Amino acid sequence: MVHPKVTVVMPTFNQVDYIEESIVSVLSQDYPNLEFIILDGGSTDGTIEIIKKFEKEIHHWRSRKDSGQTDALIEGFNIAEGEILGWVNSDDILLPNSLRLIANASKNKPEAGIFAGDYLEIDKDGLIIEVKKHIRLADWFAKHGLNVISPDWFFTRRAYDQVGGLNVEFDYVMDTDLFLRMVMEGIKFAYIPEVLVAFRKHQAAKTVSRRDIQHEEWWRLLDKFLENSPGAMPRARARKIYQVLQIINRNYLWSRIQTFRFRGKNWKKYS
C-alpha cells in the first residue's frame, strides 16, 4: 500500500512544560511516511534540550529568532516535502492514529484538499475540559463568515500552493484566513468523524493571554472577507443555521455525553 507523505510542522517558543508530550504524540503515530519539522523561535527555557532528545527522529529542526508563529510555519511549509501538510502547536496533542485517518481520507476522497475532524479541549495538565464535534459543512459555513473547523487541520500541498500559502499579515488567525481562502477557491473539505487532536487551553497560550489581539485580527479578517464576498449571508443567520443543524445531527448531545464521560480524565484515557 502506498502511503502519501505527511509533513507535520511544529512551531515553538519557550514551551518546555508541554513540548515533549506534543513531540511524542507526533512520533508515536505509527505512520510509515511521516516528515516531522520543528522550528523554534530561540527558546531559553529548556525547550531546545527536549528537542535534542528526539533529534534523530526529527527530519529537520532549527532554533533562531524569527518573526513569530506564522513566519516559522511559512518556513516549514517551504521546505516540506509532504503531499499532505499540517501543523501541531507545541502545546497541543495529535491523538493516536490521526495521521493514518487523514491519509486514508485523502485517498478515499481525492477531490478534497482540506481534512479535519473532531477535537478535545484539554487543560494545562492534559485533563479533558470538553469534547467538541463540528459539522460536516465547514466549508459552506466558512463562505458565510463562520469558522467551525477544528484546530490543527491538514491540507494538501496542492491546496496550500493554490492560494499562495499563509498570510504574514496574521499571527493569530492565520489558520482561519488560510481556510477561508481555500474554500473561496473551491477547494473541497473532507470531514473525518473521529477525534483527531487535543487543543490545550492554558494561561500562557497566546490565544488565551492575548485575546485582545486575536479578536482585533479576527474582525480585520472578517471585514476583508466580507468585502470580497458581497453575497454572504449575515453571520448571525449562519450561526442560527449552524446551531439548528448541530441539534438535528445530535452533535450537541454527542458532545455533552462524551464530555460527561471523559471530563477530568487525561486525554490518553480518551484515545
Side-chain angles (χ1 to χ4, degrees), residues 89-227:
N89 294 321
S90 57
D91 51 0
D92 293 344
I93 300 295
L94 195 60
L95 266 64
N97 206 41
S98 292
L99 294 187
R100 197 175 292 274
L101 290 168
I102 292 165
N104 288 343
S106 75
K107 288 186 286 186
N108 295 333
K109 298 182 179 180
E111 74 281 2
I114 306 168
F115 311 95
D118 305 322
Y119 68 99
L120 307 176
E121 284 187 356
I122 60 175
D123 69 7
K124 63 183 180 62
D125 299 314
L127 303 182
I128 295 170
I129 302 169
E130 192 169 0
V131 184
K132 293 278 194 174
K133 188 176 185 67
H134 277 316
I135 205 156
R136 299 170 186 270
L137 303 175
D139 47 352
W140 186 87
F141 282 101
K143 291 178 181 178
H144 297 283
L146 193 65
N147 180 29
V148 298
I149 198 169
S150 65
D152 301 333
W153 48 285
F154 283 69
F155 39 87
T156 61
R157 161 62 73 181
R158 184 174 64 234
Y160 183 78
D161 290 343
Q162 183 176 332
V163 299
L166 285 160
N167 187 347
V168 294
E169 180 183 349
F170 299 109
D171 200 42
Y172 287 77
V173 299
M174 65 288 191
D175 50 349
T176 304
D177 172 71
L178 182 64
F179 182 64
L180 284 172
R181 285 186 287 120
M182 284 182 176
V183 298
M184 296 307 292
E185 279 286 316
I187 295 167
K188 302 297 183 183
F189 166 66
Y191 168 72
I192 300 168
E194 300 283 349
V195 176
L196 301 181
V197 299
F199 176 69
R200 195 184 305 266
K201 299 181 74 172
H202 58 98
Q203 289 305 309
K206 69 178 188 179
T207 52
V208 175
S209 62
R210 302 307 306 271
R211 291 190 71 84
D212 54 338
I213 299 178
Q214 183 185 20
H215 287 165
E216 185 276 328
E217 281 197 3
W218 164 246
W219 288 112
R220 182 154 45 93
L221 171 60
L222 186 60
D223 288 343
K224 175 183 171 183
F225 165 75
L226 291 175
E227 284 179 7

Side-chain angles (χ1 to χ4, degrees), residues 64-91:
R64 62 168 175 77
K65 185 176 176 57
D66 53 35
S67 298
Q69 184 179 13
T70 304
D71 181 46
L73 288 169
I74 290 171
E75 178 185 342
F77 293 137
N78 283 345
I79 63 176
E81 298 180 353
E83 300 168 57
I84 301 171
L85 311 174
W87 73 85
V88 175
N89 294 321
S90 57
D91 51 0

Side-chain angles (χ1 to χ4, degrees), residues 7 9 12 28 52 124 145 156 194 199-200 204 245 255 270:
T7 299
V9 177
T12 187
S28 61
K52 287 180 177 179
K124 63 183 180 62
T156 61
E194 300 283 349
F199 176 69
R200 195 184 305 266
L245 288 177
S255 294
Y270 187 93

